[in-house]
Coordinates of all heavy atoms in Angstrom, one line a residue:
M1 N 28.3 -91.7 77.8 CA 27.3 -92.6 78.2 C 25.9 -91.9 78.4 O 26.0 -90.7 79.0 CB 27.6 -93.5 79.4 CG 28.8 -94.4 79.2 SD 29.2 -95.3 80.7 CE 30.4 -96.3 80.1
Q2 N 24.8 -92.5 78.1 CA 23.6 -91.8 78.4 C 23.3 -91.8 80.0 O 23.9 -92.6 80.7 CB 22.5 -92.7 77.8 CG 22.4 -92.7 76.3 CD 21.3 -93.6 75.8 OE1 20.7 -94.4 76.5 NE2 21.1 -93.6 74.5
L3 N 22.6 -90.9 80.4 CA 22.3 -90.8 81.8 C 23.4 -90.6 82.7 O 23.4 -91.0 83.9 CB 21.4 -91.9 82.2 CG 20.1 -92.2 81.4 CD1 19.4 -93.5 81.9 CD2 19.2 -91.1 81.6
T4 N 24.5 -90.0 82.2 CA 25.7 -89.9 83.0 C 26.2 -88.5 83.0 O 26.3 -87.9 82.0 CB 26.9 -90.8 82.5 OG1 26.3 -92.1 82.4 CG2 28.1 -90.8 83.3
E5 N 26.5 -87.9 84.2 CA 27.1 -86.6 84.4 C 28.4 -86.8 85.0 O 28.6 -87.7 85.9 CB 26.3 -85.8 85.3 CG 25.0 -85.3 84.7 CD 24.2 -84.4 85.7 OE1 24.7 -83.3 85.9 OE2 23.1 -84.9 86.3
V6 N 29.5 -86.0 84.6 CA 30.8 -86.1 85.2 C 31.3 -84.8 85.6 O 31.0 -83.8 84.8 CB 31.8 -86.7 84.1 CG1 33.3 -86.7 84.7 CG2 31.4 -88.1 83.7
R7 N 31.8 -84.7 86.8 CA 32.5 -83.4 87.1 C 33.9 -83.7 87.7 O 34.2 -85.0 88.1 CB 31.7 -82.7 88.3 CG 30.4 -82.1 87.7 CD 29.7 -81.3 88.7 NE 28.5 -80.6 88.2 CZ 27.7 -79.9 88.9 NH1 28.0 -79.5 90.0 NH2 26.6 -79.4 88.2
Y8 N 34.7 -82.7 87.8 CA 36.1 -82.9 88.2 C 36.5 -82.2 89.4 O 36.1 -81.0 89.6 CB 37.1 -82.5 87.1 CG 36.8 -83.3 85.8 CD1 35.9 -82.8 84.9 CD2 37.4 -84.6 85.5 CE1 35.7 -83.5 83.7 CE2 37.1 -85.2 84.3 CZ 36.2 -84.8 83.5 OH 35.9 -85.5 82.3
L9 N 37.4 -82.7 90.3 CA 37.8 -82.0 91.5 C 39.4 -82.1 91.5 O 39.9 -83.1 90.9 CB 37.3 -82.7 92.8 CG 36.0 -82.4 93.4 CD1 35.7 -83.2 94.5 CD2 36.0 -80.9 93.7
D10 N 40.0 -81.2 92.0 CA 41.5 -81.2 92.2 C 41.8 -81.9 93.4 O 42.3 -81.4 94.4 CB 42.0 -79.8 92.2 CG 43.5 -79.6 92.1 OD1 44.1 -80.7 91.7 OD2 44.1 -78.6 92.5
V11 N 41.7 -83.3 93.3 CA 42.0 -84.1 94.5 C 42.5 -85.4 94.0 O 42.0 -85.9 92.8 CB 40.6 -84.3 95.3 CG1 39.8 -85.4 94.7 CG2 40.9 -84.4 96.8
E12 N 43.5 -86.0 94.6 CA 44.1 -87.2 94.1 C 43.7 -88.4 95.1 O 43.9 -88.3 96.3 CB 45.7 -87.1 94.2 CG 46.4 -88.3 93.6 CD 46.3 -88.3 92.1 OE1 46.2 -87.4 91.4 OE2 46.1 -89.5 91.6
T13 N 43.0 -89.3 94.5 CA 42.6 -90.5 95.4 C 42.5 -91.8 94.4 O 42.4 -91.7 93.2 CB 41.2 -90.2 95.9 OG1 40.8 -91.3 96.6 CG2 40.1 -89.9 94.8
K14 N 42.8 -92.9 95.0 CA 42.7 -94.1 94.3 C 41.4 -94.9 94.8 O 41.4 -96.2 94.7 CB 44.0 -95.0 94.5 CG 45.1 -94.3 93.9 CD 46.4 -95.1 94.1 CE 47.5 -94.4 93.3 NZ 48.8 -94.9 93.5
T15 N 40.5 -94.3 95.3 CA 39.3 -94.9 95.8 C 38.1 -94.2 95.3 O 38.1 -93.0 95.3 CB 39.2 -94.8 97.5 OG1 40.4 -95.6 97.9 CG2 38.0 -95.6 97.9
E16 N 37.1 -94.9 94.9 CA 35.8 -94.3 94.5 C 34.7 -94.8 95.4 O 34.9 -96.0 96.0 CB 35.6 -94.5 93.1 CG 35.3 -95.9 92.7 CD 34.8 -96.1 91.2 OE1 35.7 -95.9 90.3 OE2 33.6 -96.4 91.0
Y17 N 33.6 -94.1 95.5 CA 32.5 -94.6 96.2 C 31.3 -94.3 95.5 O 31.3 -93.3 94.6 CB 32.6 -94.1 97.7 CG 32.0 -92.7 97.8 CD1 30.7 -92.4 98.0 CD2 32.9 -91.7 97.9 CE1 30.2 -91.1 98.1 CE2 32.4 -90.3 98.0 CZ 31.0 -90.1 98.2 OH 30.6 -88.8 98.4
G18 N 30.2 -95.0 95.9 CA 29.0 -94.6 95.2 C 27.8 -95.1 96.2 O 28.0 -95.8 97.2
V19 N 26.6 -94.6 95.9 CA 25.5 -94.9 96.7 C 24.4 -95.2 95.7 O 24.1 -94.5 94.7 CB 25.1 -93.8 97.6 CG1 23.8 -93.9 98.3 CG2 26.2 -93.3 98.5
L20 N 23.5 -96.2 95.9 CA 22.4 -96.6 95.1 C 21.4 -97.2 96.2 O 21.6 -98.2 96.8 CB 22.8 -97.6 94.0 CG 21.6 -98.1 93.2 CD1 21.0 -96.8 92.4 CD2 22.0 -99.1 92.2
N21 N 20.3 -96.4 96.2 CA 19.3 -96.8 97.3 C 19.9 -97.0 98.8 O 20.5 -96.0 99.1 CB 18.5 -98.1 96.8 CG 17.9 -97.8 95.5 OD1 17.4 -96.8 95.2 ND2 17.9 -98.9 94.7
D22 N 19.7 -98.2 99.3 CA 20.3 -98.3 100.7 C 21.7 -98.9 100.6 O 22.3 -99.4 101.6 CB 19.4 -99.2 101.5 CG 18.2 -98.6 101.9 OD1 18.1 -97.3 101.9 OD2 17.2 -99.2 102.4
Y23 N 22.4 -99.0 99.4 CA 23.7 -99.6 99.3 C 24.7 -98.6 99.2 O 24.6 -97.6 98.4 CB 23.8 -100.5 98.2 CG 23.0 -101.8 98.2 CD1 21.8 -101.9 97.8 CD2 23.6 -102.9 98.8 CE1 21.0 -103.1 97.9 CE2 22.8 -104.0 99.0 CZ 21.5 -104.1 98.5 OH 20.9 -105.2 98.7
F24 N 25.8 -98.7 99.8 CA 27.0 -97.9 99.8 C 28.2 -98.7 99.4 O 28.3 -99.9 99.9 CB 27.3 -97.2 101.2 CG 28.6 -96.6 101.3 CD1 29.0 -95.5 100.7 CD2 29.6 -97.2 102.2 CE1 30.2 -94.9 100.8 CE2 30.8 -96.7 102.3 CZ 31.2 -95.5 101.7
F25 N 29.0 -98.3 98.4 CA 30.2 -99.1 98.0 C 31.4 -98.3 98.0 O 31.4 -97.1 97.7 CB 29.9 -99.9 96.6 CG 29.8 -98.9 95.5 CD1 30.9 -98.4 94.8 CD2 28.6 -98.7 95.1 CE1 31.0 -97.7 93.7 CE2 28.5 -97.7 93.9 CZ 29.7 -97.2 93.2
L26 N 32.5 -99.0 98.2 CA 33.9 -98.4 98.1 C 34.7 -99.3 97.2 O 34.6 -100.5 97.3 CB 34.6 -98.3 99.5 CG 34.2 -97.3 100.4 CD1 34.8 -97.6 101.8 CD2 34.6 -95.9 100.1

């Protein structure tokens, strides 16, 4: 996808989070 960067960690989780401006999501 355009404007998208991806990196990988050696960590197992079933939750993602993100931040956009003053919003935080899980």
Side-chain angles (χ1 to χ4, degrees):
M1 296 177 176
Q2 296 175 348
L3 304 172
T4 306
E5 291 182 70
V6 179
R7 290 192 183 177
Y8 303 92
L9 276 177
D10 188 14
V11 86
E12 187 70 36
T13 181
K14 292 183 180 171
T15 303
E16 72 177 63
Y17 79 86
V19 178
L20 181 60
N21 300 325
D22 286 345
Y23 290 92
F24 165 70
F25 67 84
L26 286 166

